Amino acid sequence: MPQLAPSFPLPIGLDPGSPTPLYRQLAEWFRQAILAGRLHPGQRVPSTRRLADELKVSRIPVLGAYEQLLAEGYLESFIGAGTCVARAIPGESLRRVAGKSRKAAPAAHRRGARRTSRRSAAMPVLEQPWLKNLGAFRIGLPAVDRFPMGIWAQLVNRHVRRQALEVMGYGGPLGYLPLRAAIADYLSAMRAVKCDAEQIMVTTGSQQGLQLSAQVLLDAGDEAWVEEPGYLGARQALLAVGAKPVSVPVDTEGLRVADGIRRGRDAHAVYITPSHQFPLGMTMSAARRMSLLNWATESGAWIIEDDYDSEYRFGGRPVASLQGMDPDERVIYVGTFSKVMFPALRVGYVVIPKDLVPSFAVARDAGDTFSSSLHQLVMADFIGEGHFARHTRRMRTLYMERRTALVEAIAAELPGQLEVVGGETGMHLVALLPPGVDDIAVTRAAAARGVSVRPLSQCYIRAPKRGGLILGFGGAASRDIPEAIRRLKTCI
Amino acid sequence: MPQLAPSFPLPIGLDPGSPTPLYRQLAEWFRQAILAGRLHPGQRVPSTRRLADELKVSRIPVLGAYEQLLAEGYLESFIGAGTCVARAIPGESLRRVAGKSRKAAPAAHRRGARRTSRRSAAMPVLEQPWLKNLGAFRIGLPAVDRFPMGIWAQLVNRHVRRQALEVMGYGGPLGYLPLRAAIADYLSAMRAVKCDAEQIMVTTGSQQGLQLSAQVLLDAGDEAWVEEPGYLGARQALLAVGAKPVSVPVDTEGLRVADGIRRGRDAHAVYITPSHQFPLGMTMSAARRMSLLNWATESGAWIIEDDYDSEYRFGGRPVASLQGMDPDERVIYVGTFSKVMFPALRVGYVVIPKDLVPSFAVARDAGDTFSSSLHQLVMADFIGEGHFARHTRRMRTLYMERRTALVEAIAAELPGQLEVVGGETGMHLVALLPPGVDDIAVTRAAAARGVSVRPLSQCYIRAPKRGGLILGFGGAASRDIPEAIRRLKTCI
């Protein structure tokens, strides 16, 4: 059976100049020889002494390699009988596997045999050229250069040097309690959310809040209302659990609840942005809110309220949350600090109806266990010491300036061409394009000129009558805005 | 229709000493009155001047409240006709919602109408008393007090003060490229993983790697092999997508592949810990590895390799990864820095077969978008400047000492009672209890005495013949181990 007689020297080439130690080079040679079928199950290998002689090396690397191969089960040895390739290794099937080259292109695989989940295959991969640059009008990007990084760095230092288990060890799936309490206080005072600390889960951002809500609330095939136009990330979170998004149009009062009931009476959930509709920016009226809450209570549906940037309201005062109006605890309230602080922080939150808290905790534990403790401790101090309120106030003024600069630049450079919608709240506005202009083509051309805008049409499931551009102004300095709009003009 | 004549003073109680501004108290009173049906759609409200007179306050808070209520759609006003409760508000249904008290206990809800997903309802909530304390033997906890926190803090400072978009803005779903390259180099050299940087996704830890793998690869009802006994977190990640775990027993050579084929021939995936079986600690033999790879190639199944702490191998040298032996790119390799660095860091990685990278990226984007950039930048420097290799070497020596101290303490305090299994690798070992002793009862008693052990039986789907305790020694100082074992003794 042995094809290489044990007396025949093995064709091993060692490279003493390599950074890989000799013992590892040797072990790798044996592994590959066994995998490729050049050494067979049961075949004797040379003694360590003989192999060392043949290779002109000391016995130490040879002993190391054999020890390793014995531990891994490639070799076995018997007292008095020497060492051989493990007989338990499957001979022929082995060669079959090893016969296929690793170099084969993925295209050579039978695709049917490399099946991914239906859910995964159903998730669209959209062209997103605007993510490739960091110039003006990236959506959701705050003025990171105005963030009080000095204060933040001090707080990070305070905690990072303590070397405490609290900072370094495992945290719970719901998060750090003092931060949860600070978030509950903030949301009660500023957003009229009705909650206590026990209902708060600290997440890595609003997307995780959406994902966990879909995970806990929806099975494959369950319908969920989404706004038309609406937020892509929410649709993706629903598709990720196999739920079916049902698009419900919005008008100046927000989601048209009656249309939703007509299109998806049996829906299990609604995803909604009532304070500041994404992307069009209107506020949902009290009447619609009540109709929605009534329908949810009657039908047993859940409402996922995404309150993504209502800290920044320029006209009028902040609108109270839908969650605070709900007597039936059907609203899961999702928020984030990505836009008030900075995106890379990865700290957001969900306010969970009390009876769902254990289900969310289990889902989080199975998902990614817990949020980075360091950022939670720092965030708690940042809020507790008043930096958060101060920074938010300053940014409100700044973003109002930037919004004005943007609206003025559009009026000056593109009079009559772009129609501005929204923008009384938050960090972006929509500029509707003249009928017939393809917003995806404009976006692509703008990205090539270093201007990051997002096409409105991608927020629709059914193609809209009129395209538009979504322009984020949070991260765009007022002085740079006119030039960016001039560049955008050349793309339309 | 109006029940309160407009000429009748409204029963509004304001608290001028409250931290809540008057305008907000007023708006809240109106909202509640409308929600509760005390003010009706179409009913006129007093003019701002009259209400200010009645309440003996200035007109400013009244104007503020009305402006807010108009914006929210609770009130509407007509020129010459004054202001009234919005007529679009649904009258009767509204009262029905508002009639239910928020104070009602969740038990009062019809449970059927508060349905969560079947997947979520199927996920077991296990009693985990050992998580409540941070004393000796917590599993997976490294020696955080020996971590070079001074160096870490310096690196954090270096990046946190730059205030760069790279640190603060949005990152991609796959992670920071220099860190991905450093991970690819590390895994190639130390674990014989065959990969390049493009295949690496930076995650928030190994649990996220498992969750994303299940998300991308498995639909509801798909079978997946898990080791028996095995890692609970993997089972939870599978259940979270509705997959069916099929338990496959392990023996001294690791997973019994033939049993797997018998029990779940059509399984779509296998979760496995080949380098260091969790919890029993054996290494999967080369023969079994090849049988598994053969079966996976033939049946089109995926292998999820969790290489959770094989940095710490005390006897013999590190065993090569299963991924490196696989010619067919069927292995998703999952790892984490939680155990080599510290758990709260939340940085781990997945090595993804090339053709699956886009699916993983979309799943990550829909899940939590990206990992904290700051920690990725710092981690890249920590590896690149050699701190990582130095720290790992030091910890290997330390954990070997701790392991010896633990084995000796068990031999001294509980001779013949506990049988030690595993422990040649990693940061935990299993101590089998005498037959008939309930490991969950021991765990509970130990937690009450401040000793954190985990019951072996919870790692089984079918109840095992013999219970045991899983003891983590990474975070237990050698000098504290004998006392902890003495306390544990009183619990058996």
Side-chain angles (χ1 to χ4, degrees):
Chain A
M1 187 182 180
Q3 300 190 326
L4 278 168
S7 59
F8 204 76
L10 296 173
I12 304 175
L14 295 180
D15 175 5
S18 159
T20 308
L22 286 181
Y23 85 88
R24 215 189 278 162
Q25 293 184 42
L26 252 176
E28 186 58 19
W29 185 88
F30 273 96
R31 268 190 222 105
Q32 291 307 325
I34 294 170
L35 283 167
R38 295 196 302 274
L39 292 176
H40 279 228
Q43 178 175 355
R44 284 189 60 182
V45 295
S47 69
T48 51
R49 185 182 308 273
R50 231 200 51 220
L51 188 56
D53 282 353
E54 282 175 15
L55 298 172
K56 313 262 183 298
V57 297
S58 94
R59 264 181 83 197
I60 294 166
V62 182
L63 281 166
Y66 275 36
E67 188 191 325
Q68 174 85 12
L69 293 162
L70 285 163
E72 293 181 4
Y74 286 92
L75 300 183
E76 58 189 353
S77 66
F78 299 94
I79 293 163
T83 301
C84 67
V85 176
R87 286 158 311 168
I89 283 177
E92 337 126 48
S93 54
L94 163 64
R95 275 196 304 280
R96 186 154 31 77
V97 171
K100 296 194 187 180
S101 166
R102 258 197 89 83
K103 306 275 167 189
H109 293 120
R110 287 161 298 149
R111 291 295 315 183
R114 294 182 74 79
R115 196 186 78 94
T116 57
S117 67
R118 285 186 295 277
R119 282 188 322 273
S120 172
M123 288 173 70
V125 183
L126 294 169
E127 193 197 352
Q128 303 194 312
W130 60 86
L131 298 184
K132 295 213 178 76
N133 72 72
L134 294 161
F137 310 137
R138 169 87 189 243
I139 297 183
L141 190 66
V144 295
D145 55 329
R146 302 297 184 93
F147 185 78
M149 210 38 160
I151 292 169
W152 181 259
Q154 267 171 32
L155 296 177
V156 166
N157 262 317
R158 179 193 296 174
H159 291 289
V160 91
R161 293 202 183 269
R162 280 164 48 209
Q163 196 136 9
L165 262 179
E166 188 186 43
V167 189
M168 300 178 71
Y170 286 96
L174 293 165
Y176 175 60
L177 193 57
L179 176 59
R180 293 163 66 201
I183 292 170
D185 287 351
Y186 165 69
L187 295 177
S188 304
M190 300 302 290
R191 313 287 311 118
V193 170
K194 296 198 173 142
C195 65
D196 51 40
E198 283 68 41
Q199 288 171 267
I200 309 281
M201 174 186 281
V202 180
T203 63
T204 58
S206 61
Q207 189 64 33
Q208 188 173 51
L210 303 182
Q211 183 247 317
L212 289 169
S213 300
Q215 170 66 23
V216 169
L217 304 176
L218 295 167
D219 280 304
D222 285 354
E223 291 187 340
W225 299 1
V226 292
E227 295 160 305
E228 174 90 332
Y231 180 55
L232 269 178
R235 223 197 293 165
Q236 295 286 80
L238 295 170
L239 292 173
V241 299
K244 275 195 219 157
V246 174
S247 65
V248 178
V250 299
D251 62 18
T252 52
E253 288 190 66
L255 187 90
R256 295 171 63 99
V257 178
D259 286 356
I261 296 173
R262 207 160 28 244
R263 292 182 183 193
R265 178 177 293 280
D266 299 325
H268 286 79
V270 177
Y271 166 80
I272 195 164
T273 50
S275 304
H276 184 219
Q277 205 274 334
F278 187 89
L280 297 178
M282 72 283 283
T283 301
M284 191 181 197
S285 71
R288 291 272 176 87
R289 286 168 189 244
M290 287 179 222
S291 299
L292 182 65
L293 291 170
N294 281 346
W295 169 78
T297 302
E298 271 168 37
S299 64
W302 301 103
I303 298 169
I304 304 165
E305 175 178 19
D306 185 353
D307 203 20
Y308 63 100
D309 65 0
S310 36
E311 287 84 4
Y312 301 127
R313 195 172 185 85
F314 312 127
R317 294 200 173 74
V319 174
S321 67
L322 184 62
Q323 196 267 8
M325 293 173 64
D326 167 26
D328 200 35
E329 299 186 45
R330 304 218 143 259
V331 177
I332 293 93
Y333 177 94
V334 173
T336 183
F337 291 124
S338 294
K339 305 198 169 45
V340 203
M341 304 286 290
F342 53 94
L345 177 63
R346 310 316 297 136
V347 180
Y349 43 85
V350 193
V351 184
I352 308 165
K354 285 196 175 109
D355 57 336
L356 297 187
V357 170
S359 300
F360 271 78
V362 169
R364 180 71 193 275
D365 203 41
D368 72 343
T369 64
F370 70 107
S371 282
S372 170
S373 316
L374 174 61
H375 286 174
Q376 292 190 68
L377 288 153
V378 173
M379 190 71 215
D381 284 0
F382 196 82
I383 296 174
E385 296 175 15
H387 307 298
F388 183 73
R390 252 191 309 279
H391 178 60
T392 310
R393 263 198 314 274
R394 270 201 293 259
M395 289 306 101
R396 193 175 295 130
T397 312
L398 180 72
Y399 296 151
M400 205 166 1
E401 279 168 31
R402 290 182 172 187
R403 181 203 172 255
T404 305
L406 176 56
V407 171
E408 285 173 1
I410 291 173
E413 297 294 334
L414 290 152
Q417 284 208 67
L418 293 186
E419 182 188 335
V420 171
V421 173
E424 288 76 35
T425 306
M427 294 158 46
H428 74 261
L429 54 75
V430 169
L432 294 174
L433 287 164
V437 177
D438 175 0
D439 56 8
I440 294 181
V442 174
T443 299
R444 211 178 289 133
R449 284 173 180 74
V451 179
S452 172
V453 298
R454 200 184 281 199
L456 178 63
S457 62
Q458 280 198 351
C459 299
Y460 283 84
I461 294 181
R462 301 160 196 215
K465 288 197 202 96
R466 203 169 152 192
L469 305 173
I470 315 177
L471 291 89
F473 49 80
S478 297
R479 67 177 178 282
D480 300 335
I481 286 176
E483 167 58 20
I485 288 294
R486 275 191 291 275
R487 269 191 278 164
L488 185 60
K489 185 180 180 178
T490 65
C491 309
I492 296 173
Chain B
M1 191 182 179
Q3 298 190 331
L4 277 169
S7 59
F8 204 76
L10 295 172
I12 302 176
L14 295 179
D15 175 5
S18 158
T20 306
L22 286 180
Y23 86 87
R24 215 191 278 160
Q25 293 182 44
L26 251 176
E28 186 58 20
W29 185 91
F30 274 95
R31 269 192 221 103
Q32 291 308 325
I34 295 169
L35 282 167
R38 294 196 302 273
L39 292 176
H40 280 227
Q43 178 176 355
R44 282 189 61 179
V45 296
S47 70
T48 52
R49 184 182 310 273
R50 229 201 50 221
L51 188 56
D53 282 353
E54 282 176 14
L55 297 173
K56 316 261 184 297
V57 296
S58 94
R59 261 181 85 195
I60 294 166
V62 181
L63 280 166
Y66 275 36
E67 186 190 326
Q68 174 85 11
L69 292 162
L70 286 162
E72 293 180 3
Y74 285 92
L75 300 183
E76 56 189 353
S77 66
F78 300 93
I79 295 161
T83 302
C84 66
V85 176
R87 288 158 309 169
I89 283 178
E92 336 127 48
S93 55
L94 163 64
R95 275 196 302 283
R96 187 154 30 79
V97 171
K100 296 193 185 179
S101 165
R102 256 197 91 80
K103 306 275 167 191
H109 293 120
R110 287 161 300 149
R111 291 294 312 183
R114 294 183 74 79
R115 195 186 78 93
T116 57
S117 68
R118 285 186 295 277
R119 280 189 323 272
S120 173
M123 287 174 68
V125 183
L126 293 169
E127 191 197 353
Q128 303 192 312
W130 61 84
L131 297 184
K132 297 214 175 78
N133 71 72
L134 294 161
F137 311 138
R138 170 87 189 246
I139 297 182
L141 189 66
V144 295
D145 54 330
R146 302 299 183 93
F147 184 78
M149 210 40 157
I151 292 170
W152 181 259
Q154 269 171 30
L155 297 178
V156 167
N157 262 315
R158 179 193 296 172
H159 291 290
V160 93
R161 292 204 183 269
R162 280 165 48 210
Q163 197 135 7
L165 263 179
E166 187 186 45
V167 189
M168 300 178 71
Y170 286 96
L174 292 165
Y176 175 61
L177 193 58
L179 176 59
R180 293 163 67 202
I183 292 171
D185 287 349
Y186 165 68
L187 294 178
S188 303
M190 301 301 290
R191 313 286 311 119
V193 170
K194 295 194 173 145
C195 64
D196 51 41
E198 284 67 41
Q199 288 172 266
I200 309 282
M201 173 186 281
V202 180
T203 64
T204 59
S206 60
Q207 189 65 33
Q208 188 173 50
L210 302 182
Q211 184 248 315
L212 289 170
S213 301
Q215 169 67 23
V216 169
L217 304 176
L218 295 168
D219 279 304
D222 285 353
E223 291 187 340
W225 298 3
V226 293
E227 295 160 304
E228 174 88 334
Y231 179 55
L232 270 177
R235 224 196 292 163
Q236 295 288 81
L238 295 170
L239 291 172
V241 298
K244 275 194 217 159
V246 174
S247 66
V248 178
V250 298
D251 61 19
T252 51
E253 288 190 68
L255 187 89
R256 294 171 63 98
V257 178
D259 286 357
I261 296 173
R262 208 161 27 245
R263 292 183 182 191
R265 176 176 297 278
D266 298 325
H268 285 78
V270 178
Y271 167 80
I272 195 164
T273 51
S275 304
H276 185 220
Q277 205 275 333
F278 188 89
L280 297 179
M282 73 285 281
T283 301
M284 192 181 198
S285 71
R288 290 273 176 84
R289 286 169 188 243
M290 287 178 221
S291 299
L292 182 65
L293 292 170
N294 279 346
W295 169 78
T297 301
E298 270 168 38
S299 65
W302 301 103
I303 298 170
I304 304 164
E305 175 178 19
D306 185 353
D307 203 19
Y308 63 101
D309 66 359
S310 36
E311 287 83 6
Y312 300 128
R313 193 169 187 87
F314 311 129
R317 297 202 168 73
V319 173
S321 67
L322 184 62
Q323 196 267 7
M325 293 173 64
D326 167 25
D328 201 35
E329 299 187 46
R330 302 218 145 260
V331 177
I332 293 94
Y333 177 95
V334 172
T336 183
F337 291 124
S338 295
K339 304 197 170 47
V340 202
M341 304 286 290
F342 53 94
L345 176 63
R346 310 316 297 138
V347 180
Y349 44 84
V350 194
V351 184
I352 307 166
K354 285 194 175 112
D355 56 335
L356 297 186
V357 170
S359 301
F360 271 77
V362 170
R364 180 69 192 277
D365 202 42
D368 71 344
T369 63
F370 71 109
S371 283
S372 169
S373 317
L374 174 61
H375 285 174
Q376 292 190 69
L377 288 154
V378 173
M379 189 72 214
D381 285 0
F382 196 81
I383 296 175
E385 297 176 13
H387 308 298
F388 183 72
R390 253 192 308 282
H391 178 61
T392 310
R393 264 200 311 277
R394 271 201 293 261
M395 290 305 103
R396 192 176 296 129
T397 312
L398 179 73
Y399 296 151
M400 203 166 3
E401 278 168 32
R402 290 181 172 187
R403 182 204 171 251
T404 305
L406 176 56
V407 171
E408 284 173 2
I410 291 173
E413 296 295 333
L414 290 152
Q417 285 207 67
L418 293 186
E419 182 189 334
V420 172
V421 174
E424 288 76 33
T425 306
M427 294 160 45
H428 74 261
L429 54 76
V430 169
L432 294 174
L433 286 164
V437 177
D438 175 0
D439 56 8
I440 294 181
V442 173
T443 299
R444 211 177 289 134
R449 284 173 179 74
V451 179
S452 171
V453 296
R454 200 184 280 199
L456 178 63
S457 62
Q458 280 196 351
C459 298
Y460 283 84
I461 295 181
R462 302 161 194 212
K465 290 198 200 94
R466 206 170 152 191
L469 306 173
I470 315 177
L471 290 90
F473 49 80
S478 296
R479 64 175 182 285
D480 300 335
I481 287 176
E483 168 57 20
I485 289 294
R486 276 191 291 275
R487 268 191 277 164
L488 185 59
K489 186 181 179 177
T490 65
C491 307
I492 297 173

